[in-house]
Amino acid sequence: MSGTRDPSLRAAVRGIGLLGPGLVDWSLGQALLRDPTGWAVAPTVLAAPALLPPAERRRAGAIVKLSMAVADQACTQAGVDPHTLATVFTASSGDAANCHALCEALASAERAVSPTRFTNSVHNAAAGYWHIATTSRAPSSSLCAHDASFGAGLLEALTQSIALGRAVLLVAGDVPYPEPLQGVRPLPDAFGAALLLDATPGAPSLATLTLALSAAPASGCGHAGLDALRAGVPAARCLPLLQALARGGPAALVLDYLDGLSLDVRLEPPHARP
């Protein structure tokens, strides 16, 4: 109908980061996502973030290490200065080990909480460490939507990029809890991904991503192991999208979101961008 507004969101994907079981980074992981027959489960290795000053590096928990690793990959691939980037960090778990330690402290006779642990208990700790490391004063949002956290982050980052007319770095990550919380909220391993999204006209592009709400069932990865990882870690709900980006070319897929609601995603190669 004439005059009907397009409800979809559109932006260029300029950079990608990846870290998870058997997926050490985007550069090596994209080949395994293109052809999952060569992928095998291996524990996610989290390194101390070289970008952080020594004091902050010592305090950085698993979620900070994971988030900073994938964020740095996406920025490096895109060749952008992270000092200038607005960010959206999304996680269902936050700093899981710190949460466990705080619960232990509060259950003890002394009930004494370490100031450092209290500082790292906030959900935007990973974002804070990233902006400290990059000396960035750009806007930052931190989200949590339980199993829908990746979808919520993707919607937020796209909306911000369109509304603000600037590139936005989306960082999604989850890490397992120690027991006994792990028994209640089991996550098999750490997984993180980052997308640098840019809705400004003429932005450099690896692909153009168009997003709309849907009620269709979510797409799978076509591989039992990757689908188990996708189902087991909320941040890994992005795997079908990363798989399509790794394969290149046009693609249409559906991502998990809320109950009864999913995200319809379409990818176009750079030359096909309107």
Side-chain angles (χ1 to χ4, degrees), residues 7-198:
S8 62
L9 304 174
R10 181 180 292 110
V13 179
R14 295 182 56 184
I16 306 167
L18 172 64
L19 180 57
L23 302 164
V24 297
D25 58 26
W26 174 247
S27 178
L28 298 175
Q30 61 182 319
L32 296 173
L33 293 178
R34 282 195 298 267
D35 180 12
T37 58
W39 176 76
V41 176
T44 303
V45 177
L46 302 176
L51 290 174
L52 282 173
E56 282 75 17
R57 196 181 309 151
R58 288 192 298 271
R59 300 187 185 108
I63 191 65
V64 173
K65 295 174 182 177
L66 176 70
S67 299
M68 291 192 64
V70 296
D72 188 46
Q73 287 178 43
C75 293
T76 299
Q77 183 183 28
V80 300
D81 180 1
H83 174 82
T84 67
L85 289 176
T87 60
V88 173
F89 282 73
T90 184
S92 76
S93 57
D95 192 332
N98 194 57
C99 177
H100 169 80
L102 287 172
C103 289
E104 281 194 322
L106 292 172
S108 69
E110 293 81 10
R111 297 173 61 83
V113 173
S114 157
T116 298
R117 291 211 175 276
F118 179 77
T119 299
N120 286 293
S121 69
V122 293
H123 196 68
N124 65 346
Y129 277 101
W130 172 256
H131 282 257
I132 288 171
T134 60
T135 64
S136 172
R137 295 186 179 182
S140 182
S141 301
S142 294
L143 307 178
C144 178
H146 195 56
D147 287 346
S149 292
F150 177 78
L154 183 59
L155 279 169
E156 178 69 16
L158 280 167
T159 301
Q160 285 197 25
S161 184
I162 293 166
L164 301 177
R166 64 187 299 170
V168 175
L169 177 64
L170 169 64
V171 183
D174 282 305
V175 296
Y177 289 95
E179 293 291 356
L181 294 174
Q182 175 73 354
V184 178
R185 176 67 167 161
L187 301 179
D189 204 344
F191 181 95
L195 296 173
L196 180 55
L197 303 169
D198 194 343

